[in-house]
Amino acid sequence: MQDLSYVRTEMVPEQEPPASAVGLFGWMRANLFSGPRDIILTLVSLYVIYAIGSEVLAWSLQDTWGATSLRECREIIAARLGPDAHGACWGVIRERYPQMLFGFYPSEYYWRPILALVLLFVALAPVLFSSVPRGLRYFSPFYPFIGAFLLWGGSIWLPLAALAGFVIGYLALNAVGSRFGTLAGTIACVLAAVAWWLFLAGPVASGLQSIVPLGLDAVQSRAFGGFMLSITIGVVAIGASLPLGILLALGRQSDLLIVRGLAIGFIEFIRGVPLITLLFVASTLLNIFMPPGTNFDIILRVIIMVTLFASAYMAEVIRGGLAALPRGQYEAADSLGLDYWKAQRLIIMPQALKISIPGIVSTFIGVFKDTTLVSIIGLLDPLGLTKSILADQDWNGIVWELYGFIALLFFVFCFSMSRYSMHLERRLQTGHR
C-alpha cells in the first residue's frame, strides 16, 4: 500500500559538514575571509608580516656563532653577502652566555645554581600539578633552606637554625593558642620565631659549626648576577608575597580597628610609592637605621623590599576575590559552626583564590619583570651585565642581539606562567559555563 503521509517515519542519515565550513579552511573563511573588509585587512596584514618577517629572518639567520668580536662578525657577513650587508652577530651570545646566566658566580660552582633550579621544579611540581606523586609535597617546605644553602654556601647549620625558627614558632602557637586563643597564639608564634632568628640562630649555628664543621664554600652576594639573580629575587618574592597578601587582605577586612588600620596603611603606602624608591631605601637608607657593624646582605634587603611591594598589590587582588563572593558563603560557614580561620581555610579563601587566579598570575609576571630594576642600584641583573658587555671594545656596538636574548628568556618564563594560569583556570572551572 502506498504511504501518502506528510510526516517522515524515519530519520534522515547524518551527513558530513561541507569541507569549507570545518577544519583550517572553515576557520580561515569564518575569521579571515568572511567579507570584503576582512579580506582586505587579512591581505594587508599578511604583506606587513611578510615584509617585516623576511627582513628579520635575513638579519637573524647568520652563522656568526664562531666570531670573537664585532669586527670579525662584520667580516664574515661581508664575505658572504657583500660589503653593505647587515646581520646578527651571535658570537657575543656564545662567548658571554655564562656571564648572562650566572653573573660572576665562580664557574667551578655552576652546578650549585643549576641543582637549585632543578630542585625548585621538583618542589613546585606537587604544588602546581595534581598528577605528580604527592609524596614530593613533603620536600617542598624544605626547599627554601636547601636552595639558599646551595646558592650561598657556608655552614649547613645556618639554614637548619633558620628552619628551627619555624618549629619554635609552631610550638609557641600550640602552647599559647590552646590556653589563650588563636590571636594570642599567633602573636606568640611571631615573637618567638623573630626572637630566635635575631638573637639565637646565629650564635647557635656558629657554635654547632665549630663543633661539627659541615658546609659548602661560601659565595658572596656580589658574585650573583644575570638570570640567576633575577630568578632568585623573583621566585622568593613570588612565593612569599602570596601568603603575605592573603594576610593583608584579611587584615583589611578585619573587625579589629588596629589590625584593619595597619593593613590599610601598609597597603596604601606601598602602592603609593614606586618600586625603585623602595630599592633605593633598601640599598642606601636601610643601613642608617641598623645597629653599627650590622652586615645586612644587599640581596636579602632587595628581596624583602620586592616582596613587600608585591604583597601589597597581591592583597588588593585577593580582596577583589573576597568581595566577589556572595554573602551566602559567609553565612553558610557560620551555619556550620566553623570558627574564623576554619571558615577562611575551608570555604572562603579557596573560592576567592579561584576567582583571583588571573590577577594573581598577572602580579607574579609583573614582579618577575620588575626584577630588572635592581640594575639601577648596582646589582648586575641581565640588563646590568649588558652594560658591562657593551663596554668591552670587542663588542662595542652590539645591541639587538643581547637585548633579544634577554627578552627571549624573560618571555619563556612569563609565557609559561601565563599558560599555567589558563591551565589552572580550566582545571578548576573558574569561568561561568
Side-chain angles (χ1 to χ4, degrees):
M1 185 176 177
Q2 187 177 6
D3 186 5
L4 299 177
S5 62
Y6 288 98
V7 180
R8 185 181 296 276
T9 58
E10 57 187 17
M11 296 295 295
V12 176
E14 294 183 0
Q15 297 181 359
E16 294 291 335
S20 60
V22 295
L24 177 61
F25 290 103
W27 180 86
M28 294 176 62
R29 183 178 180 180
N31 296 277
L32 302 180
F33 302 101
S34 59
R37 184 187 63 179
D38 290 344
I39 293 174
I40 294 174
L41 291 176
T42 298
L43 294 177
V44 172
S45 301
L46 290 175
Y47 174 75
V48 172
I49 293 173
Y50 169 77
I52 298 176
S54 59
E55 292 293 331
V56 172
L57 288 176
W59 175 83
S60 60
L61 296 179
Q62 300 294 331
D63 187 12
T64 55
W65 293 95
T68 58
S69 65
L70 179 59
R71 185 182 65 178
E72 187 175 344
C73 282
R74 291 172 176 171
E75 292 175 354
I76 294 174
I77 295 172
R80 294 175 180 172
L81 304 177
D84 297 329
H86 299 280
C89 183
W90 300 117
V92 64
I93 305 299
R94 178 195 59 80
E95 183 175 302
R96 294 300 184 97
Y97 82 89
Q99 188 177 1
M100 298 287 289
L101 296 179
F102 301 102
F104 297 100
Y105 205 86
S107 58
E108 63 270 21
Y109 299 142
Y110 280 170
W111 64 271
R112 285 161 56 174
I114 293 174
L115 179 59
L117 182 62
V118 172
L119 293 179
L120 171 64
F121 291 123
V122 174
L124 289 178
V127 178
L128 301 180
F129 302 102
S130 58
S131 58
V132 176
R134 305 307 295 173
L136 289 177
R137 69 180 183 272
Y138 298 108
F139 171 75
S140 301
F142 299 100
Y143 171 76
F145 309 97
I146 298 174
F149 174 64
L150 287 173
L151 292 177
W152 277 274
S155 170
I156 195 175
W157 300 109
L158 188 59
L160 291 178
L163 176 61
F166 290 94
V167 177
I168 293 173
Y170 177 75
L171 295 176
L173 175 64
N174 287 338
V176 179
S178 60
R179 296 186 58 185
F180 302 101
T182 304
L183 180 60
T186 303
I187 296 175
C189 170
V190 174
L191 293 178
V194 172
W196 168 263
W197 289 327
L198 290 179
F199 303 108
L200 297 175
V204 170
S206 300
L208 292 174
Q209 180 68 13
S210 62
I211 300 173
V212 184
L214 294 175
L216 297 173
D217 291 340
V219 177
Q220 300 298 321
S221 293
R222 61 175 177 269
F224 283 49
F227 273 94
M228 184 184 70
L229 177 62
S230 295
I231 292 174
T232 301
I233 297 175
V235 168
V236 176
I238 287 172
S241 64
L242 181 58
L244 286 177
I246 293 174
L247 293 177
L248 288 171
L250 295 177
R252 185 157 190 165
Q253 294 187 334
S254 175
D255 295 330
L256 299 175
L257 180 61
I258 297 178
V259 174
R260 185 172 67 252
L262 290 175
I264 292 175
F266 175 84
I267 293 172
E268 297 302 331
F269 173 76
I270 295 296
R271 294 177 71 233
V273 177
L275 177 58
I276 187 61
T277 304
L278 298 177
L279 293 179
F280 275 118
V281 170
S283 63
T284 57
L285 299 180
L286 196 60
N287 278 339
I288 299 176
F289 301 98
M290 300 298 294
T294 302
N295 184 18
F296 200 174
D297 189 271
I298 178 62
I299 294 181
L300 181 58
R301 283 181 272 162
V302 169
I303 287 175
I304 292 174
M305 286 300 180
V306 175
T307 301
L308 295 178
F309 181 82
S311 63
Y313 283 87
M314 190 67 64
E316 290 298 281
V317 171
I318 296 172
R319 187 169 70 92
L322 292 171
L325 287 181
R327 184 62 189 173
Q329 297 296 317
Y330 295 88
E331 296 173 352
D334 293 337
S335 66
L336 293 174
L338 300 177
D339 61 20
Y340 177 80
W341 292 109
K342 286 185 178 180
Q344 293 293 336
R345 179 171 59 89
L346 298 176
I347 296 179
I348 305 302
M349 195 53 63
Q351 297 182 74
L353 292 178
K354 284 173 60 178
I355 297 172
S356 307
I357 285 175
I360 290 174
V361 176
S362 178
T363 304
F364 286 168
I365 293 174
V367 169
F368 184 66
K369 292 189 294 185
D370 285 344
T371 57
T372 56
L373 293 175
V374 300
S375 62
I376 300 178
I377 60 173
L379 294 181
L380 296 178
D381 75 311
L383 293 181
L385 286 172
T386 299
K387 298 177 183 178
S388 64
I389 294 174
L390 294 177
D392 189 345
Q393 185 176 1
D394 291 335
W395 302 112
N396 189 9
I398 294 289
V399 177
W400 292 104
E401 295 85 344
L402 291 173
Y403 288 115
F405 178 70
I406 294 172
L408 176 62
L409 292 182
F410 270 102
F411 173 79
V412 169
F413 282 96
C414 296
F415 183 72
S416 300
M417 286 189 280
S418 175
R419 298 302 298 179
Y420 175 77
S421 170
M422 298 174 64
H423 160 75
L424 190 60
E425 288 184 50
R426 289 192 300 267
R427 194 179 78 185
L428 300 178
Q429 299 180 358
T430 315
H432 297 286
R433 300 196 177 195

